[in-house]
Amino acid sequence: MASILSAHKICKSFSGVQVLKDVEFDLREGEIHGLVGENGAGKSTLMKIIAGDYKLDSGELRFEGSPIRLKDPTDSLNYGIRIIYQEFNLVKTLSVAENICIGDYPRNRFGTIDRKAMNAEARRILEQLGEDIDVNRRASDISVAQQQIVEIAKTMRKNCRVLIMDEPTAALNDQETVKLFQLIRRMRDNGASIIIISHRLSEQFELTDRITVLRGGCTVGTVNTKEVSNDRLVEMMVGRELTEMYVHSKHMPGEVLLETKNLCVDEQVRHISLKVRRGEVVSVYGLMGAGQSQLADALFGSLRIRSGEICYKGQTLRMKAPADACRAGIGYITEDRKADGLFGNLNVMENVSAVSLKRYAGPAGVMSKRKEREAFDKWVKKLNVRFGRVEQRISSLSGGNQQKVLIARWLSNDVDLLIMNLPTRGIDIGAKAEIYALLDELCAGGMGVLVFSLEMPEILGISDRIYVMCDGEITGEATSEEATQTLLMKYAVAKYLK
Amino acid sequence: MEQNKSGTMTKLKGFLNDGSLLLVIVILCMYFSVKSPYFFSFKNMMNMLISVSVIGIAATGFTCTLIARGPDLTTGAMMALSSCMAALLVSHYDMVWYGAVLVALGTGALFGLANGLLITKFQIAPIVVTLGMMSVVRGIAFIFTNGITIFITEPHLKWFGSGKIFGINAAVIIMILCFLLLSFVTRNTIFGRKIYACGSNPAASRLAGIKVNGIVTVLFTLSGFLSALAGLVLAGISSAALPSAADTYNMDVMTAVLLGGTALTGGEGSVVKTLLGLLIIGIINNGMALLNVPSYWQTLAKGALLIIAVVYDRIRRMMQATA
């Protein structure tokens, strides 16, 4: 197969920091090509260069063998290069058809938009994709999976030779993912060449023909998907063998920290009874949408409970707001770091001390900067948070370091129980391993940890006990010795089988 | 090696962040001093400070509400109402001066509280609530006074504008105290930290155990109180209270605060920088008046300056973003 798009010796720096160094990349005509690497490996930068969004410092892009220069995104569109970002670029207030035809609406003879032609055009493209979406609906009213289809339809309208998709399945459930993959394969069979950026290696194995691995801004290599093993790929990504990804040692469980008795949150989440003891990592597994997030929110007082009881350290805990949970000594890491965890325009230290302010203040509420700094130094050292200056905005840190800052926020308030919802979402492998090790250490120190996760290997790797939820109820419980992927999955679909 | 280079960069950026307003002030002062020898005299500087004191007092509270959630547009109207109330209660209802002052300040706090509660209980945008309240308060001022001007003869009420402590005008001292106090509170107290947290990310604040609604309510109450205080100073300076007073002050307060770099999007800003923004406005107005530039040009200069400042701020941020 001939090469359609290739990159040679691409270098790119941002204000002195080299992000890409002599990167080689080759996309063949009619293949699905996976691009993997830890966060910060340079995947997005490389793709933005190919899409004409960033200018390269040195090196060369070739399209069908001949060198090309891209000054801006329009240039790449002329070559038929399209990119769908992880955050979609749909105008939520416009209709599906308006979004698909955006930028080049069909006109009637008065020069205004020919809605009929536009809708017909949109319908035609969606039909080609084998999709049935009402083109008159507003983009905000359709599901995430449908929004993705609309994004693809947008790219299909004009000639599309190369399609780049950044984490296309991040927001999709399993069935939607299967459907998307079918669609991607069909596009390949119709002659498009596709680049898939995804953390999920299983998807890379399922979908791609070849995979290129980037690490630290350099190309590690390109492999045929059929000829590579999962372990080998991970090794290429991290540059070392990660046999000890999950750290989990057995601790003597102590007193019961958290206990719920027949807890009902709303219609969706019912009859939850669970226990977390000191020195334990307890996990809650479930397929997406089984009610884990609501449960996590309720345990932290962020959602009001309808009936039942939450006991903490043997006493009933009535919570009106998260402030009550904070006071009791519970910490909570939410699933969406950016939306409801981080204070984006505050600095690293202010982010750490947000909960524990009282500890650094006198009776009048006047803060001691020295005390605050001491505590901060202690925790960032313990958690190995990597940052430049204390005054640096938290938003400039990598996902892994942001997550560590959020953990430090709670630890600095001496919490006894840490609830973590999707603890390693959007975090590179190195930082993941560090967080697992940290959780183990915290338990050894007598804390209790309650993890909500969608990743089965993670749950099996770090938990002492596992609860499984299905359709808002707990359908099974297993110890780490009993638990297997099959068993957990059996519980996770228990109510769907009947 | 790298350390050193980035160190200088940091310093440069730090200066762009913090030093640029100061630099503008120094340049303006130098320019006007050369043009008019009277400019840098104690008397003129004091006049300049008196002229911005009313705006300055209100701007301290405004800065805090803007950092936490949004603008308090009731400010100007509240000044008018509080000055009218104090003057009228003393002259027509024979109330003792401190009683009138307390009632005026209390009224300011009360309307501020109403703003805060409407914003937090019904989750309405502050700009909407305070815009409505602006008209309500202004209307009350007119109804209360029947639209007439009340001249102030009571010496204590006059003191707010023209009294002197160690040769410094009371209006200026009150303003400086407000700046000192709120700058301390925002920088050095738990409450101050929570203000920034609320503005930066309300959802995260709630989950960090911060009572966002309480803080926002307190801030709007405070802003109402400070506006009322500014109104008393205004009445003292002009020896009169009129319900139509301070009608452009909202915008002047906002200009000073934005010039100082407080972001409309929340979570960013500082009371000290508001003071610098305020001084720039004061110096320009004062200097231009000394040079006999017609006041129309002062208005134009103020607007142009704000736009330049915001553009400058954008450029600075873009530089930061690429760093």
Side-chain angles (χ1 to χ4, degrees):
Chain A
M1 276 186 289
S3 161
I4 180 161
L5 182 78
S6 59
H8 303 282
K9 293 204 170 298
I10 302 281
C11 294
K12 176 74 187 172
S13 302
F14 291 107
S15 48
V17 181
Q18 188 147 35
V19 180
L20 295 179
K21 201 170 136 197
D22 295 331
V23 167
E24 297 285 327
F25 181 76
D26 173 58
L27 179 68
R28 291 180 192 156
E29 196 139 17
E31 75 167 344
I32 299 177
H33 197 125
L35 188 60
V36 298
E38 293 189 65
N39 290 341
K43 297 168 303 213
S44 298
T45 310
L46 178 62
M47 289 305 111
K48 282 184 176 167
I49 285 174
I50 291 176
D53 214 355
Y54 291 158
K55 269 193 224 160
L56 40 83
D57 294 343
S58 65
E60 191 178 65
L61 287 177
R62 287 189 206 143
F63 192 80
E64 295 185 323
S66 39
I68 57 171
R69 308 195 74 181
L70 303 174
K71 283 193 293 297
D72 55 49
T74 347
D75 283 344
S76 72
L77 291 182
N78 291 335
Y79 288 103
I81 301 171
R82 313 265 153 172
I83 183 161
I84 299 177
Y85 292 105
Q86 194 175 348
E87 274 91 33
F88 301 152
N89 283 316
L90 295 182
V91 185
K92 295 274 169 86
T93 50
L94 295 183
S95 75
V96 168
E98 282 166 329
N99 267 297
I100 291 176
C101 298
I102 200 160
D104 185 24
Y105 293 121
R107 313 272 180 92
N108 57 24
R109 59 203 162 97
F110 301 112
T112 54
I113 297 172
D114 186 343
R115 300 199 71 89
K116 240 179 168 173
M118 177 179 76
N119 288 349
E121 167 105 10
R123 243 177 249 126
R124 182 182 64 76
I125 297 169
L126 287 173
E127 241 163 63
Q128 271 179 18
L129 292 174
E131 288 298 323
D132 183 28
I133 303 171
D134 181 356
V135 296
N136 286 311
R137 291 186 71 181
R138 290 208 327 179
S140 56
D141 297 343
I142 60 178
S143 73
V144 180
Q146 287 175 321
Q147 288 177 16
Q148 180 120 39
I149 305 285
V150 172
E151 282 279 6
I152 295 174
K154 250 166 83 177
T155 69
M156 298 270 295
R157 187 156 171 251
K158 294 283 165 58
N159 102 65
C160 174
R161 303 284 308 276
V162 175
L163 178 62
I164 303 165
M165 301 182 84
D166 192 355
E167 295 286 350
T169 60
L172 303 188
N173 66 28
D174 294 351
Q175 299 127 3
E176 290 165 342
T177 302
V178 170
K179 242 176 123 180
L180 178 72
F181 285 2
Q182 285 169 354
L183 181 59
I184 292 173
R185 286 196 197 97
R186 205 154 57 231
M187 289 175 73
R188 171 191 59 190
D189 298 341
N190 289 337
S193 313
I194 295 157
I195 302 171
I196 303 281
I197 303 174
S198 176
H199 277 307
R200 304 186 186 183
L201 296 187
S202 58
E203 294 180 3
Q204 294 283 1
F205 279 105
E206 192 185 333
L207 191 61
T208 61
D209 302 307
R210 293 195 304 158
I211 298 174
T212 294
V213 182
L214 292 184
R215 185 204 315 151
C218 302
T219 309
V220 180
T222 301
V223 291
N224 287 325
T225 309
K226 284 202 189 83
E227 293 159 14
V228 69
S229 69
N230 195 25
D231 290 349
R232 173 75 192 125
L233 203 57
V234 171
E235 206 182 301
M236 286 172 80
M237 284 165 71
V238 295
R240 62 197 141 105
E241 278 187 66
L242 259 184
T243 46
E244 287 293 298
M245 169 89 163
Y246 300 109
V247 185
H248 180 233
S249 42
K250 202 80 186 146
H251 312 293
M252 268 313 279
E255 56 160 330
V256 175
L257 274 176
L258 180 81
E259 183 173 8
T260 68
K261 294 172 188 162
N262 205 15
L263 177 72
C264 295
V265 182
D266 52 23
E267 293 294 320
Q268 269 87 50
V269 180
R270 308 167 307 269
H271 314 303
I272 304 289
S273 297
L274 55 78
K275 265 185 205 168
V276 184
R277 283 187 284 259
R278 284 188 185 274
E280 261 188 334
V281 177
V282 176
S283 296
V284 177
Y285 176 73
L287 297 173
M288 203 182 265
Q292 307 98 307
S293 284
Q294 289 97 311
L295 178 59
D297 280 349
L299 292 178
F300 193 65
S302 182
L303 270 184
R304 290 290 195 91
I305 62 173
R306 185 172 288 176
S307 63
E309 202 180 348
I310 300 174
C311 294
Y312 186 67
K313 294 185 184 170
Q315 298 194 329
T316 307
L317 189 61
R318 275 181 246 281
M319 294 181 285
K320 285 207 204 82
D324 298 321
C326 293
R327 209 172 303 120
I330 303 175
Y332 183 35
I333 309 272
T334 60
E335 61 181 314
D336 194 338
R337 248 194 320 279
K338 206 170 147 198
D340 42 31
L342 301 170
F343 300 109
N345 48 13
L346 301 190
N347 70 36
V348 184
M349 183 162 81
E350 287 163 340
N351 267 282
V352 169
S353 45
V355 182
S356 48
L357 292 170
K358 264 200 189 127
R359 292 168 184 268
Y360 322 121
V366 178
M367 309 247 314
S368 155
K369 301 248 151 128
R370 187 183 51 82
K371 275 192 197 165
E372 183 187 11
R373 184 60 195 260
E374 278 170 12
F376 171 77
D377 286 342
K378 177 180 137 197
W379 288 111
V380 292
K381 192 163 164 238
K382 184 164 160 77
L383 270 66
N384 193 18
V385 182
R386 282 176 288 267
F387 60 97
R389 294 168 294 122
V390 179
E391 296 80 17
Q392 199 176 348
R393 284 186 179 207
I394 188 84
S395 49
S396 62
L397 265 56
S398 73
N401 282 309
Q402 290 178 343
Q403 192 75 336
K404 288 188 206 164
V405 164
L406 290 181
I407 297 173
R409 179 187 289 175
W410 292 110
L411 295 187
S412 65
N413 199 36
D414 274 347
V415 293
D416 291 312
L417 173 70
L418 187 61
I419 303 172
M420 300 184 84
N421 197 357
L422 312 189
T424 57
R425 179 179 167 189
I427 287 177
D428 63 63
I429 294 180
K432 267 189 187 180
E434 283 183 77
I435 285 177
Y436 296 142
L438 176 72
L439 293 185
D440 191 57
E441 199 187 319
L442 294 177
C443 282
M447 267 178 67
V449 178
L450 178 60
V451 171
F452 289 79
S453 173
L454 298 167
E455 291 178 40
M456 224 187 263
E458 172 174 286
I459 285 200
L460 290 168
I462 63 171
S463 317
D464 291 294
R465 265 180 322 116
I466 302 160
Y467 292 99
V468 183
M469 284 179 77
C470 176
D471 195 24
E473 290 183 39
I474 290 182
T475 46
E477 182 187 344
T479 63
S480 57
E481 289 82 21
E482 303 160 358
T484 61
Q485 299 222 9
T486 336
L487 181 71
L488 295 191
M489 188 47 78
K490 213 174 89 196
Y491 289 145
V493 297
K495 294 183 79 178
Y496 301 134
L497 296 176
K498 285 172 202 162
Chain B
M1 19 166 264
E2 277 285 299
Q3 194 73 39
N4 220 341
K5 196 179 148 203
S6 70
T8 2
M9 268 314 269
T10 313
K11 270 186 201 145
L12 179 72
K13 285 204 176 114
F15 183 74
L16 289 180
N17 268 333
D18 306 323
S20 50
L21 288 169
L22 215 52
L23 188 69
V24 171
I25 291 177
V26 170
I27 291 171
L28 284 173
C29 281
M30 274 166 36
Y31 175 79
F32 287 124
S33 296
V34 170
K35 288 278 177 180
S36 160
Y38 175 68
F39 174 78
F40 213 65
S41 65
F42 177 78
K43 187 148 186 257
N44 186 52
M45 281 295 108
M46 204 45 70
N47 277 339
M48 188 272 288
L49 288 175
I50 293 170
S51 74
V52 294
S53 59
V54 176
I55 299 172
I57 293 165
T60 55
F62 193 102
T63 308
C64 296
T65 64
L66 197 57
I67 292 171
R69 186 60 77 83
D72 180 1
L73 299 182
T74 320
T75 296
M78 199 58 239
M79 290 181 201
L81 179 61
S82 94
S83 60
C84 289
M85 280 189 83
L88 205 68
L89 287 175
V90 168
S91 64
H92 288 56
Y93 297 90
D94 296 324
M95 195 182 257
V96 65
W97 72 273
Y98 50 83
V101 164
L102 283 181
V103 171
L105 294 177
T107 309
L110 212 63
F111 278 102
L113 178 69
N115 275 334
L117 291 176
L118 286 167
I119 289 163
T120 54
K121 295 286 170 206
F122 300 102
Q123 294 294 315
I124 313 174
I127 196 164
V128 179
V129 172
T130 59
L131 185 73
M133 197 61 83
M134 173 177 93
S135 269
V136 170
V137 168
R138 179 74 69 185
I140 294 174
F142 275 103
I143 295 165
F144 192 55
T145 58
N146 236 335
I148 54 154
T149 303
I150 307 140
F151 293 97
I152 295 174
T153 48
E154 211 290 326
H156 292 98
L157 289 186
K158 274 189 168 176
W159 178 88
F160 279 98
S162 50
K164 288 214 165 113
I165 302 169
F166 300 123
I168 298 172
N169 197 288
V172 177
I173 295 206
I174 293 173
M175 172 180 80
I176 290 172
L177 285 179
C178 286
F179 272 106
L180 284 177
L181 183 72
L182 284 184
S183 148
F184 180 81
V185 168
T186 48
R187 289 158 63 117
N188 296 305
T189 66
I190 295 181
F191 183 71
R193 281 298 188 74
K194 289 181 176 173
I195 297 175
Y196 284 94
C198 290
S200 177
N201 189 339
S205 299
R206 185 173 160 269
L207 289 170
I210 298 171
K211 290 179 174 152
V212 180
N213 287 351
I215 296 214
V216 170
T217 309
V218 168
L219 287 178
F220 275 89
T221 310
L222 180 73
S223 177
F225 175 86
L226 288 168
S227 300
L229 181 61
L232 294 179
V233 171
L234 175 66
I237 290 175
S238 48
S239 290
L242 60 165
S244 60
D247 59 343
T248 61
Y249 280 21
N250 266 344
M251 293 303 137
D252 291 346
V253 167
M254 191 129 93
T255 307
V257 174
L258 294 178
L259 206 51
T262 298
L264 278 172
T265 41
E268 260 175 277
S270 97
V271 174
V272 175
K273 286 198 204 166
T274 294
L275 177 61
L276 298 181
L278 182 79
L279 289 179
I280 290 177
I281 294 177
I283 290 168
I284 285 186
N285 283 346
N286 178 283
M288 288 175 96
L290 281 185
L291 302 184
N292 288 322
V293 181
S295 68
Y296 308 138
W297 288 95
Q298 294 176 24
T299 307
L300 186 149
K302 206 160 55 185
L305 196 72
L306 177 65
I307 293 171
I308 292 168
V310 173
V311 170
Y312 169 81
D313 187 57
R314 274 326 295 178
I315 295 171
R316 181 174 66 77
R317 269 165 216 263
M318 284 175 200
M319 274 176 64
Q320 267 184 347
T322 54

